[in-house]
């Protein structure tokens, strides 16, 4: 929903006609640009806004799973030529699959040159901005027009706590405001509660979703989050090194943030289908153990085991135990 809100603000700010009044059919097709690694919620957002998922351009990624900025520029130019009206780029800061951060500074340049809205989906990675050692990965994010991030991911709060930060609140109001109904019109004035969120988002009224996030921040403070997030990334680095140095395991993508993609690949097993099956069975056996919970992934077509660290009580000893179990279970399966 945070990403959807951002894209709606982007559409209304950049379309060039009054889309809210006249609808999307009153102008040319609106082009939205993102990478093949972008989370599907942005494509769904385009559908929900009537832009059409067919007008979402999934730009290819490089060997490090980052959007190819040259291809992005070329596609925008091609679309303009064909009469499409490009309006926004979604960059990702911490992709769902491999935790990669897109080249934000370069994307910011494209958006500035082309007059496009620069949105960053930082749902997973955003909170890592708090950690001194991880912050440099996000260079360029400060130029974004909007950023979505999820406290229910790497701020460890319970579901749901999606956040959206928009540079220009006035554009946000223009994207959602309605002629106010008599029964609430005076609330802002009487209560002095500040900005009325009912005028800035799809919801008119809402529960106090922010309470848990606010209280958590008050209780622990910024530095505690920074320490914990760095610690998670360090644990993932430790596990990544174990997998990398073991002759029967391989990393399927470079370790990024606190995400790891690996597979079991003993020398005696060569065929792609057989490897996929072996790793599928390994994942099932590991999850059935009840000792750890990992997810399946596909990286460049290959079945991959995805490990994400992001729990306030996860310590080095848990990660060591996890690695021992992964290694022993794999060995037993092969036998
Ligand atoms: C980058 C990114 N965007 C969006 C989402 C969707 O978030 P949610 O499942 O909390 O709606 C995810 C989920 O993992 C994500 O990683």
């Amino acid at each position: 929903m945070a990403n959807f809100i951002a894209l709606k603000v982007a559409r209304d700010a950049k379309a060039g006609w009054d889309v809210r009044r006249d609808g999307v059919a009153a102008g040319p097709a609106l082009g939205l640009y993102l990478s093949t690694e972008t989370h599907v919620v942005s494509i769904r957002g385009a559908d929900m806004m009537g832009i059409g998922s067919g007008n979402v351009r999934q730009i290819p990624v490089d060997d490090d799973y980052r959007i190819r900025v040259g291809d992005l520029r070329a596609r925008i130019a091609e679309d303009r030529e064909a009469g499409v009206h490009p309006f926004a780029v979604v960059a990702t800061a911490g992709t769902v699959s491999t935790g990669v951060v897109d080249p934000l500074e370069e994307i910011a340049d494209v958006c500035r040159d082309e007059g496009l809205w620069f949105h960053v989906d930082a749902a997973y990675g955003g909170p890592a901005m708090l950690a001194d050692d991880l912050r440099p990965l996000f260079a360029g994010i400060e130029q974004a027009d909007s950023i979505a991030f999820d406290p229910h991911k790497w701020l460890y709060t319970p579901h749901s706590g999606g956040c959206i930060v928009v540079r220009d609140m006035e554009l946000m109001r223009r994207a959602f405001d309605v002629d106010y109904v008599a029964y609430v019109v005076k609330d802002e004035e009487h209560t002095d509660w500040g900005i009325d969120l009912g005028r800035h988002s799809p919801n008119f009224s809402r529960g106090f979703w922010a309470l848990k996030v606010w209280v958590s921040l008050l209780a622990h403070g910024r530095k505690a989050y920074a320490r914990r997030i760095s610690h998670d990334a360090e644990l993932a680095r430790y596990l990544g090194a174990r997998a990398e140095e073991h002759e029967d395991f391989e990393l399927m993508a470079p370790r990024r943030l606190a995400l790891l993609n690996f597979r079991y690949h003993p020398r005696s097993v060569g065929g792609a289908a057989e490897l996929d099956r072996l790793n599928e069975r390994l994942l099932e056996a590991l999850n059935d153990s009840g000792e750890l919970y990992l997810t399946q992934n596909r990286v460049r077509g290959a079945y991959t085991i995805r490990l994400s660290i992001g729990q306030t009580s996860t310590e080095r000893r848990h990660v060591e135990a996890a690695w021992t179990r992964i290694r022993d279970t794999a060995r037993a399966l092969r036998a």
Side-chain angles (χ1 to χ4, degrees):
M1 186 52 81
N3 282 299
F4 170 74
I5 290 172
L7 293 176
K8 167 81 164 74
V9 180
R11 185 197 73 173
D12 298 342
K14 294 290 185 183
W17 73 94
D18 189 344
V19 189
R20 294 194 67 195
R21 192 191 57 206
D22 301 334
V24 283
L30 290 165
L32 176 64
Y33 302 80
L34 37 76
S35 91
T36 50
E37 295 292 308
T38 310
H39 197 282
V40 290
V41 289
S42 287
I43 300 175
R44 187 196 277 167
D47 160 27
M48 286 161 69
M49 290 189 294
I51 283 168
S53 54
N55 291 315
V56 178
R57 312 301 189 215
Q58 290 183 278
I59 309 297
V61 292
D62 61 19
D63 291 342
D64 203 16
Y65 304 94
R66 291 152 46 107
I67 192 168
R68 287 183 186 275
V69 176
D71 289 3
L72 171 65
R73 280 193 188 272
R75 189 64 208 255
I76 291 169
E78 197 182 302
D79 276 349
R80 285 200 198 281
E81 194 74 13
V84 172
H85 181 84
F87 78 101
V89 179
V90 179
T92 305
T95 58
V96 63
S97 176
T98 60
V100 160
V101 180
D102 272 326
L104 303 179
E105 281 176 323
E106 291 175 57
I107 296 170
D109 288 346
V110 174
C111 290
R112 198 181 43 249
D113 295 348
E114 298 284 345
L116 306 186
W117 187 274
F118 176 26
H119 174 64
V120 181
D121 178 358
Y124 163 54
M129 286 285 292
L130 296 174
D132 290 342
D133 56 336
L134 300 173
R135 192 175 310 117
L137 290 171
F138 298 83
I141 199 169
E142 71 285 350
Q143 298 180 61
D145 292 300
S146 54
I147 304 169
F149 68 99
D150 279 353
H152 63 247
K153 294 192 169 70
W154 220 356
L155 278 184
Y156 316 99
T157 60
H159 233 279
S160 296
C163 289
I164 175 70
V165 182
V166 176
R167 181 178 298 282
D168 186 343
M169 278 295 273
E170 174 56 19
L171 295 179
M172 199 171 189
R173 190 191 59 73
R174 277 193 228 153
F176 290 101
D177 210 2
V178 284
D179 286 341
Y180 242 44
V181 285
Y183 77 100
V184 289
V185 77
K186 286 286 185 190
D187 275 7
E188 273 180 83
E189 206 176 293
H190 286 164
T191 61
D192 196 24
W193 283 345
I195 286 170
D196 180 350
L197 294 176
R199 308 181 78 156
H200 292 75
S201 68
N203 302 76
F204 200 63
S205 60
R206 69 189 68 206
F208 197 173
W209 303 330
L211 178 63
K212 57 189 171 288
V213 177
W214 182 54
V215 169
S216 300
L217 286 168
L218 285 180
H220 303 295
R222 205 176 80 89
K223 286 184 183 154
Y225 281 100
R227 272 197 304 275
R228 193 23 87 171
I229 289 167
S230 290
H231 175 76
D232 288 347
E234 168 55 32
L235 294 180
R237 203 172 301 132
Y238 167 83
L239 253 178
R242 296 292 79 71
E244 215 165 12
E245 71 196 13
H246 195 291
E247 60 172 9
D248 289 341
F249 284 86
E250 60 192 356
L251 288 188
M252 299 299 284
R255 187 221 32 99
R256 293 284 182 264
L257 301 176
L259 266 185
L260 213 58
N261 281 276
F262 65 92
R263 73 173 174 183
Y264 181 46
H265 187 176
R267 296 290 161 265
S268 55
V269 183
E274 200 182 336
L275 270 177
D276 283 1
R277 235 179 355 259
L278 180 61
N279 280 279
E280 205 171 339
R281 285 177 57 206
L282 173 57
L283 180 74
E284 276 168 17
L286 289 169
N287 286 345
D288 284 351
S289 76
E291 293 291 318
L292 65 171
Y293 185 80
L294 310 176
T295 51
Q296 77 289 338
N297 196 12
R298 286 228 168 239
V299 175
R300 300 216 192 280
Y303 188 95
T304 305
I305 297 178
R306 178 176 169 282
L307 187 150
S308 166
I309 296 178
Q311 226 296 338
T312 50
S313 55
T314 303
E315 298 298 344
R316 174 75 166 252
R317 67 180 189 283
H318 300 114
V319 166
E320 282 168 357
W323 173 244
T324 304
R325 183 168 286 273
I326 292 166
R327 202 192 48 205
D328 294 352
T329 308
R331 212 179 271 151
L333 262 182
R334 185 180 164 203

